[in-house]
């Protein structure tokens, strides 16, 4: 076929075809020649060519001790066969003890017959290893956002790195290989925990957890699969989960024994680091009892925070996909510079049903002016006043964990945030001036009225002599509010009592008379005085909503004549069937209770 190309009228094709034919002819000649040559002949020919080349050939083979025993033996067999080529030098790096074991009893003698020059690489000193480890860690940290580097620059009370390092962290690393292997994994995984220049975990805790993953993987899996043992730190939680301090201690000790059996020193290292990561476990070990604040740990992004624990094992910032990331909360904290912007953000979270999580996260930062300044505290309180009445009720079943129970009432979270911001102000006169300005300007009534109730001496946020002044501002506000908005208010009963108590009797009477002129509004007024309690069913933890008449008639009689209300409801039931069907439960509940002499 190539010969046919010689007849193509093109000089370049002609030359190319002759070139290829020449190569193939030479290959064919060599193949015919090699058929009659022995293996030793080929080896001698290769050796002659190496001699003519007049250059040494150096072959480096590293990490032989990482191979299987069979592979190790094969490597040395190949080296032995080829070592007598001229100028061929093999430089082989390996752990002598491991390689000798792969040859069983004859390992030492076998190596002596092959290895001509032994060069023992000296073990690095502990100081040298520590310096190299610290340099590598420093290099990794410097690639992270500034927020990550701050954790290692804090004072001793907030930065536990020195304690962690001395508690056994450095003992994991026996050689340079250990350090490089660890740093490679750390560098990749910790980069996954950053979002838009914000770190989502505590880098010190993450470094320790990664070390446990690298050098005690079975125990790392135990930690990942048993979060309850490491995050349940209150006696109520222990009882609910069927645990005790002794049981938790026993479970962890057994896991250490089962997961780390060969190296007792490694076991003690892991145990020491676990006590640094989880302070209450250290207290259990030492027989100390004290209370811990999960809010502080959450703000510091610690692994011991129940909210963040899973982040350290599934590499999802914030705990899981439904949680609030540190990037999001940092963005929201910046929006507190403007009341309008912050309120708009909170309303967006109400619409997306994420308000519970955002209010819970804000609580982590209320005590620190570095995150919420005094100027911004005013914007936060003003925004909470505006959205308070639009906050949803309970969002989690009572049977969930205690932390979720506490966080499940958004209104309670809003109250907590405001109380924390007011409590941190030492000059209570400033709190008074702030509320005096915000109450008339903001929307809603409930939160403003609740904040101006008489406070106990131990929890004064406002000078006692100024509370009455704020109450008068609230009365003036309710006097001027839209009465259609007021009759439909969820907290109407509470507002009516405070209105009456604080001096608005005239306007209150006018409002009640206006309400009683409407059949529908009369029914709504009655419904606001029916107590609804939520009780836990003992066996399955479900919520049962129970309507109670215990205080209905007594409290309602403080504002209206009960006989007049009964007459009106009887008329509605008899002459307004459509309205009655719409509000049957409220009307029948009142009339039946009235007949049974609950009054």
């Amino acid at each position: 076929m190539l010969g046919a190309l010689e007849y193509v009228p093109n000089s370049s094709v002609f030359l190319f075809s002759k070139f290829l034919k020449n190569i193939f002819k030479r290959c064919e000649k060599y193949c015919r020649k090699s058929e009659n040559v022995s293996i030793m002949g080929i080896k001698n020919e290769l050796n002659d060519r190496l001699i003519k080349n007049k250059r040494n050939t150096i072959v480096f083979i590293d990490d032989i001790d990482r191979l299987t025993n069979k592979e190790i033996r094969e490597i040395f067999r190949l080296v032995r066969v080829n070592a007598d080529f001229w100028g061929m030098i093999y430089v082989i790096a390996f752990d002598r003890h491991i390689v000798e074991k792969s040859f069983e009893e004859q390992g030492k003698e076998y190596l002596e017959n092959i290895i001509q020059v032994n060069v023992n690489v000296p073990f690095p000193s502990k100081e040298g290893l520590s310096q190299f480890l610290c340099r590598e860690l420093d290099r990794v940290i410097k690639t992270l956002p500034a927020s990550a580097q701050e954790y290692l620059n804090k004072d001793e009370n907030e930065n536990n790195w020195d304690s962690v390092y001395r508690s056994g962290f450095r003992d994991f690393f026996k050689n340079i290989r250990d350090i490089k292997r660890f740093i490679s994994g750390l560098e990749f995984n910790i980069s996954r925990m950053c979002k838009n220049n914000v770190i989502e975990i505590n880098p010190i805790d993450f470094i320790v957890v990664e070390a446990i993953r690298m050098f005690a993987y079975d125990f790392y899996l135990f930690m990942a699969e048993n979060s309850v043992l490491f995050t349940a730190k209150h006696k109520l939680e222990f009882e609910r989960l069927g645990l005790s301090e002794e049981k938790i201690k026993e479970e962890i000790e057994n896991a250490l024994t089962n997961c780390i059996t060969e190296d007792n020193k490694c076991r003690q290292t892991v145990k020491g680091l676990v006590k640094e990561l989880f302070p209450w476990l250290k207290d259990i070990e030492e027989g100390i009892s004290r209370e811990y604040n999960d809010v502080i740990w959450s703000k510091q992004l610690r692994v011991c925070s129940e909210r963040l624990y899973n982040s350290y094992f599934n590499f999802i910032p914030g705990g899981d996909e439904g949680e609030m990331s540190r990037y999001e909360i940092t963005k929201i904290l910046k929006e507190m510079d403007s009341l309008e912007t912050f309120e708009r953000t909170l309303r967006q979270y109400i619409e997306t049903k994420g308000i519970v999580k955002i209010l819970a996260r804000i609580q982590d930062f209320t005590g620190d002016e570095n995150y919420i300044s005094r100027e911004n505290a005013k914007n936060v309180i003003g925004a909470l006043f505006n959205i308070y009445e639009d906050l949803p009720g309970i969002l989690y079943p009572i049977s969930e964990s205690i932390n979720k129970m506490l966080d499940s009432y958004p209104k309670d979270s809003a109250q907590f945030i405001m109380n924390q911001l007011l409590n941190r102000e030492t000059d209570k006169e400033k709190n008074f001036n702030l509320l005096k300005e915000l109450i008339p300007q903001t929307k809603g009534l409930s939160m403003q009225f609740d904040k101006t109730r008489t406070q106990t001496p131990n929890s004064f946020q406002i000078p006692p002599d100024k509370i009455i002044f704020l109450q008068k501002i609230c009365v003036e506000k309710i006097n001027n509010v839209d009465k259609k908005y007021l009759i439909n208010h969820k907290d109407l009963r509470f507002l009516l009592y405070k209105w009456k108590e604080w001096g608005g009797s005239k306007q209150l009477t006018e409002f009640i008379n206006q309400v009683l002129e409407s059949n529908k509004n009369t029914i709504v007024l009655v419904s606001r005085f029916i107590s609804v309690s939520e009780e836990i069913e003992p066996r399955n933890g479900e919520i049962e909503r129970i309507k109670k008449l215990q205080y209905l008639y007594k409290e309602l009689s403080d504002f209206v004549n009960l006989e007049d209300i009964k007459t009106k409801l009887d008329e509605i039931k008899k002459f307004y069937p459509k309205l009655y069907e719409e509000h049957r439960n409220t009307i029948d509940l009142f009339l039946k209770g009235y007949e049974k002499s609950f009054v």
Side-chain angles (χ1 to χ4, degrees), residues 287-303:
I288 300 173
S289 178
R290 57 181 140 186
E291 292 294 324
Y292 291 97
N293 190 344
D294 197 68
V295 170
I296 295 175
W297 285 327
S298 180
K299 187 177 76 171
Q300 295 174 348
L301 304 178
R302 295 289 308 275
V303 65

Side-chain angles (χ1 to χ4, degrees), residues 536-542:
I536 305 173
E537 206 286 323
R539 285 173 294 180
N540 56 23
E542 293 182 355

Side-chain angles (χ1 to χ4, degrees), residues 344-373:
R344 185 163 56 248
T345 298
L346 292 180
R347 291 194 179 280
Q348 288 172 355
Y349 278 101
I350 292 175
E351 292 175 4
T352 59
K353 299 182 180 180
I355 192 63
V356 171
K357 292 183 176 66
I358 188 59
L359 292 179
R361 291 302 311 278
I362 291 174
Q363 293 177 41
D364 297 347
F365 302 91
T366 51
D368 193 335
E369 290 189 21
N370 292 321
Y371 291 99
I372 305 178
S373 65

Side-chain angles (χ1 to χ4, degrees), residues 308-321:
L308 288 160
Y309 185 86
N310 288 333
S311 294
Y312 286 79
F313 300 94
N314 58 22
F315 302 112
I316 299 176
D320 60 50
E321 295 170 349

